[in-house]
Every structure is written in structure tokens, then in C-alpha cells.
Amino acid sequence: MRRLALLLPFLAFVTFAQAALPFPQAASDLKPDPAAHFGTLPNGLRYVIRPNHEPRNRASMRLLIKAGALNENENQRGVAHFLEHLSFNGSEHYAPGTLIEFFQRMGMNFGDDTNASTGFDRTIYMLELPDTKPATLAEGFRVFSDYAGGLLLLADEIDKERGIILSEKRTRDSVGYRTIVAQLGFLLDGSRFPQRWPIGEVEVITKAGRNEFLDFYNTWYRPDLMSVVVVGDVDVAAVEKLITETFSPLKLRAEARPAPDLGKLTLADQSGVHVFHHPEAEAPETSVSIGTIQRYAAEPDTAAVRLKYLPRTLANYMINRRLSILAKKEGAPFTSGSTSVSEEFDFFRESAMTLTCRADQWADALAVADQELRRALEHGFQPAELKEVVANFRNSLEQAVKTAPTRRSDSLAAELTSSLVDDEVFTTPADDQALYGPALERVTPAECLAALRAAWSAPHRLVMVTGNARIEGDASAAIRAAFEKSAATKVAPPEVLADAKWGYTDFGPAGKVAQREHIDDLDVTLVTFANGVRLNLKKTDFEANRIRLNVRIGNGQLTEPADKPGLAGYANQTFVEGGLGKHSVDELRRILAGRTVGASFGVAGDAFVSSGNTNQQDLLLQLQLMAARIVDPGFRPEAARQARKAIEELYLSLEHTPRGPFTLEVSRILASGDTRFGLPPREEMLKRNLNEVKAWVTPELAHGYTEIAIVGDLDVEATIAAVAQTFGALPPREPRAALEDRRKVKYPDEPFARSYSVPTEIPKGVVAIYWPTTDGLEIHRTRRLSLLGLVLSDRLRVKVREELGDAYSPGAGNNPSDIYPGYGYMTANVTIDPPRAQLIADTVIAVGADLFTKGTTDDELARAKLPVLTQLRESARTNQYWLGSVLARAQERPQQLDWCRTRYSDIESITKSDIDALAKTYLAPEHASRVIVVPHRQPDEPAPAATATAPKPDAAKPAAQPGAPKPE
Ligand SMILES: [Zn+2]
């Protein structure tokens, strides 16, 4: 069998002019995952099939074309990405304008289950099949086969899509994005990359003719550059047969063109210091960076090569830890920092040390970057530092092995596809552990130092300052002078780290169980301890070796003091960063290295919430950590220092982006001025402090109503015992407070219209429309309103995106409150070309009005409902669903157990008349409020050609519709 498998690609080589690309394992001593079945068709198309059983009865499919923007000619810049959009607009088996609706009728969600992306060197199409019936699989392959060779690329459809691509370009434009374009233009000067941003050039997007599309499609969508990946609940032989039948007829449609020449790297051979400065006045921060760039030629992915780079990875982790500790010190002139070294596109190696800071701190931050880099390069690392990162690395390998049996098909498909893009062997977590484990035992600080020095061996330093720093006079000279001044400073070895021991093992005598009940049909256990702590548990087999926890305490934002607006946000920023009484946050990281524990903290609408993930081995430590956060929060001043930096950056960003007015004003207007909604002005926010957080939060944590939910691969009795020793031992808890006076929030009595202009040069605006609805406390109604939101969202896709070509990603959804009785609203959001703002606002309201007067159609309802039912079937086997939607508050609100029982049949039973009645109640045009945000300076023309482009692989279709919660 093995011989035959080796022979097939060889025969293919002889028979056809094109050689099939070998799989990465062909040139490696590494073994690929034995569960994956690799094959190559005679025409060179490769495929990988990997059976996998989570989620049940679903399959993830990918079609990879190893060609992207780099393969474009000069007059095709943007065509690779544009073509990806056109794959949805007409092909052999799917008439223009029918594919998205076809997917919806199959129970797939546009954006989540069907999507695509284009990068410099790849185009990837994805399908998440709703089931694995033979007809569904065959349909999936028919769609892929049309993408691969059956696109119509009609001139009308190309013209219709131009506006959507321009809108996508506008949606992606930002100062951060412009900075990346400028910076890569500097680093990769001389190469093809800066000339081939995937989103493309306005000139090409608006004018490219059908021939340019045909040329690219016929030349590069060729079988030997394609791979099909299928992961899921499938039979290998059946899928292999389908792949062979579907793709064997695929032929070359044009003469094969050689791979593009990537050009040179001007900077790679240079020595000395090279300075780059790119100011963006509207950026919320400044970024300083020291780096190098070198040529890199592909290395095969072998055991030796993987092990060669291990010490370098560990060295970077250790430097990143130092930067995170330094950033918190009093007077630190930077907010955060990180370092990395990577090889990209088999073409270049980039090393970089990057810090972000306030505008006026750029020179001091640059000095820190230089000196920390040299401190590592000259003095190396301490054994204690290495021990910590090795413990974390080893634990991540071990957890990967233990959680492997329940990996999900979509992430496996994504990993398999990237391994084909990057020519890496798709190894198993167990083989990775066997490879790296012994190396981690042996690795020394000296090896890490040697690897770091090798990574920084280029004879030059590239010194870059970007963002909002205003540098007077000759900026380059000033940056060079600041760097050289720092470079002349001697650096001392790093401080020696002190050892520390976990200080929270004893919370007093274990609590007694006062009540215990088993809900048989849901297999859920509900426990009440003598001190009033509630515990809801469910053992599942959805995720091997993983336990998820959620703790709700006290009243959360319900009790936020009205005279301290923004305090909840401030508490979110500072609570975890403040550490514990006995340990700072950095000391905790050292103590907890190598363990699978962690506890977040956040202020929710009606509780303080801590959540985390662990496993059986670390469950007690995890609960100790969560309980320690409750009984002994640290409120250390370093948290206030870091929060101040974050607040300053946030407000600078809000000043110059369309989301600013929504966060600062609209949220509060929608709640008739209630200060718990939105953020206060900057000056008010900067008054918030740790004493206020302490005064508000401490009494609630000390006695507040407490409900814990734990779901996953757990032992019920051991879990109850661990909770008894921690939360069960805390002082008595109060019953849930009603707080009726704090639960009053009112939507404005009269519809309103607001316009804002934001000082920004980015030529995009936002239109938002609001219709008052109601709360989410009556589940029957809430589910129907959610579905109405999905229908509205789909109508906006058809009208605003497909018909008008005016927006890349319009979205709508219902936002019902489950805290404030009667409160909720439907909202629609569209990113727009500013001069079109009023027209789009009118259009959105008219789309709502049409639903109000004429109602929906059975087909629309089905296309909204079927993808939801697919999601429900899948979520029933996820710990996240059980934790968040069922168990988090199962004792406070026992009706949530019933919601779980009825959700599928209830949503299935929703009728057109249910939806039409709600549209009649809520979507009247005279109830609609409108908000328009546009830039101050509206350019007369679209964005200048040289600026707005897409740095990352980008999706043809939006990944998610904003503001559209799924029905529970
Ligand atoms: Zn796109």
C-alpha cells in the first residue's frame, strides 16, 4: 500500500506537464497525523480527509488555492480578492444572486458557515456543512467545484460588486491600517509585497474588465495549486470518492505561469542604523520599534529545524515577561511591549522589539526597547526565568495532548489548511510532546542566549517610530540621536528574582452541603452550602480534560453609584491587575507557571463575574485562586498606573473614530441619561480610583449572593468537595436582593435624530437606527424578536449590500435587557460613504417599514430559522452553552432550565404570523430613531488611491453581524 501511495504522484508527474506539489512530510522525518488521509489526483489537486467527531454530524470543508495578491499582474492589483467575492455571484450550478440564499436554506449562516479570505499568497474558501448526509456532502463539493472551475465572471456581476469592494476598503481603513501599510513599505522595500496589498487599488476595483478576471482565474485557479481539506463526521472512502469524481475533470484552462518573482529586500544587506518615522496624528498611541530584516530561504519542516528554533522561542517569552513586569513600574515610560522573530513567506526573517507609549514618551520608550534588548543580548537569562517559561511550554504541550480527543472540526480544518500553506507537517499533539518534551528538559539559558544572538545578527538596526508622537524639526535626526544616546548607555544584568509560594490554601473549615438536588432529564446537580453559596454542576464529555467555571457574586452594575460614572469600567481595568493581598500579578504568574488556572473578573449588569478554565488536576488550585480574588483582592497601585495609560489611549481613540459618539453619548441617550450606560467624559473617567472600587466592590464580595456554575470533564463528588473547601468556607451569603428601584431604565419617550462629526481624515461614517422593543424576560417573545432581527439583517444585506452596493457589512439585531424590565431595542448599523449617510438612514428605516406593513415571507423566515436550528443542535454539545445559558444562574432563575428544554421545538415552531405581528408592533417608521456619525472633513472624492488597503487576509463576507444576538 505504501509503495502505491508513493507511486501515484510520480505517475502524475509523468503524465501531466505540471508536477503536483509534494506534501510537507515528503521531505521530512516528522510523521503526519495518522488519522489524516492524504492524497493527490492525477491532475495535481491534493486533498486531506480527517475523520473527527466534534461537532457530531457536521463537516468542515476548505478549498485552498495557493495563489493570492502576489500572483496579480500590475493591472490586476485587487483582482485576487475581488474574484473571491465573485465566487458568490454566479457559477455553473448557482445563478447570480442565489448562492447565499441556497446556503441559508441548507441551514448555513452567511459569514459564519460560508466565507472566504484572500491573502498575499493564498485564497481560502470555507464551508461548515450543517450535516453529513450524502446529498449535503455532494452539494458542498459541487459548490467547491464551481469555485475551482465553474465561475461565470459575468460583466454585470463584476460591475455590481465594485461598490461592495470599495465599501469593504472603506470599512477596513483606519489610522492603524495606514500605519501598517507604511511600515511594511519601509521594511519590505524592493520586494513585491508593498505593491500587492490584497484589497487592491481603486483604479483596478472601479475599472478592471472581465478579461483581467478571466486571466487571473484561468491562470492561477489550476488543479496543482489547489488542495481540498475535509474534517468531520465522515467516512474517508466515501469522501475520497466524491473528491475524485468532482475534481478529476478539472483541467488547466490557460498556460501555466511561473510563480511571481518576489523581488529584493533593499534593507537586508545594509549595515548601520536606519530610521523610519510615520506620524498619524489621530492614532491613540505611539509605537517605537527596533528591528532587523534578512533574506530567508525555505527550510524543510524537520525535527532538527523545529528543535533549532525552540531556544529562540523561549528567549522571546522571557523578554516579553520582563517587559510586562517593567511596564507596571512607577514612572515606566511605556504601556506594553513585546518581541518576536519570525520567518515569513519563505522569503524574509524579521526580528522586532516593539513598545507602545504616550506621544511625549517616545524617546524614553525607545531607550527602554534598546536597553532591554541589549540587556538580554549581553547578559542572557536567569535559570528562574527559564524555569517559568519551560513550565508553561511543557504544560501547554501536555494540555494539547489531553484535550486532543475532542478537538473541533473547524479548528482542525484551519490548522490542516495552514500547514499546507506554510509547508509544515501536520503532526499530532502527542508527537509534538514527544519531540519537545526531552528538549525542554535539557535546554539551558546559554542556548537561549545563543539563539537570541543569532536572531539579531544582522549588521543593522531599523529604528521605527509611528503613531501620534509629534517630533519637531528633522524627525529622523531626532530619532537617530535618541537611539544613539541610549546605545551609548551601559546595561546591567537583570535583577535576581525572588522565589514565592502560593499563599491561599486555607479558607477555614470546609462548608457543609445544606441541600442537593439532581435534575434527571438534564443531568444537572444543584447544591446549596450552609453558608448560602449555590453550586450548579454538569459532567460532560464535550471537551476532554477541560472544566469551565463561572462565579456570579453580588449585584454588579445595578449598584454602581450614580455619582461615580464609569466605575464599572474602571473596576474591569484594575481588579485583576491589582493582584492579591499576598501576591502581585507578576508574582502570581511565576507561582502559577505550568498550571492550568486563571480567573478573570468583570462587572456584568447585575453581578460581579469571575470565570476560568482548568482541569481535574488543577481544579482545587483554580477554586483557591477564584476564592482568593473574592476574599483578598490586592488593589495594588500598579493597576491604577496601567489603567490611567489605558484610559488615555481609549479616549484618544474615541475622539477620532465613529464609535466615539456611540460609547460616549448614544448609549446614555438610549437609556434616558442613566449613568450606568456608556462612558462619562474623559475628565470624569480620570477621577475614578482604586479607593472607589474598593468601597463599592468589597462589601458585595464579602457577603453578596453567590452562584457558581461548573461544567465539563469533572468528577461531581470531587468538585463539590473542592468547592466546599473554598467558597463553601466563606462567610455567610445574603439572599439575592430585589433592588427594584435600581432596575428602572427608560427608553426615550420620543424618537430622536442625532448627527455627530468626528475629527478624522478616514473617510467613513456610521449610520445607526433604533426601534424600541422590550425586555428579554419572556423567552417565547425574545426568541421571535431575535428571529425578526435576523430577517431585518438579511433584508439589509439584500437592499444595502447587494442592490445598492453601498455597504460591505450592514447588520441588525434585537438587544433585549434581562435586567431592566421593559427595556430593549432593535438596532441596525451600517458603515457608509459619508455623503450617502441620509440616504442610507432613510433606506434602513424604509426596509423596517416594509416589514412593518407587508411582513416577512415564508422563505425569508426559513432562511433565518434553519441556520439558527443548526447552531442550536451544535451548541447543545458545548460546555459554553451549558455554562453561560443554562447553569450560570440556574438557582436564581430556575426558568432557564426550562428554556433549555424548550428552545429547539419552540424556535422550530415559529411562524410567519408570529414574526409579522412583532414587526407590526415594533418596526413602525415613526418609532425609528437615527444616529449619523461622519468625519469633520468630508473629502469631495473617494479615498486617495495610495492609502486604503487591506494588510491581512480578509473575508469576502463579514464574519458576524454586529448586534445580532442568537436566540437562546
Ligand atoms: Zn472581501
Side-chain angles (χ1 to χ4, degrees), residues 571 574-581 629 632-640 689-695 697-698 701:
T574 52
F575 192 86
V576 169
E577 287 297 308
L580 299 174
R629 287 230 189 285
D632 194 22
F635 301 112
R636 289 162 189 264
E638 63 195 41
N689 57 65
L690 291 176
N691 286 334
E692 293 172 350
V693 177
K694 200 171 175 174
V697 169
T698 308
L701 298 184

Side-chain angles (χ1 to χ4, degrees), residues 81-82 84-85 116 118 164-165 168 172 199 801 808 954-957:
H81 165 253
F82 200 135
E84 169 218 310
H85 280 237
T118 306
I164 298 174
I165 310 268
E168 178 178 350
R172 292 178 185 281
I199 192 77
R801 178 177 159 123
Y808 169 58
D954 70 302
K957 316 289 164 177

Side-chain angles (χ1 to χ4, degrees), residues 67-70 80 84 117-124 196 198 952-954:
L70 290 170
E84 169 218 310
S117 66
T118 306
F120 282 114
D121 62 345
R122 76 204 66 175
T123 308
I124 298 172
R196 290 295 182 277
K952 288 183 186 153
D954 70 302

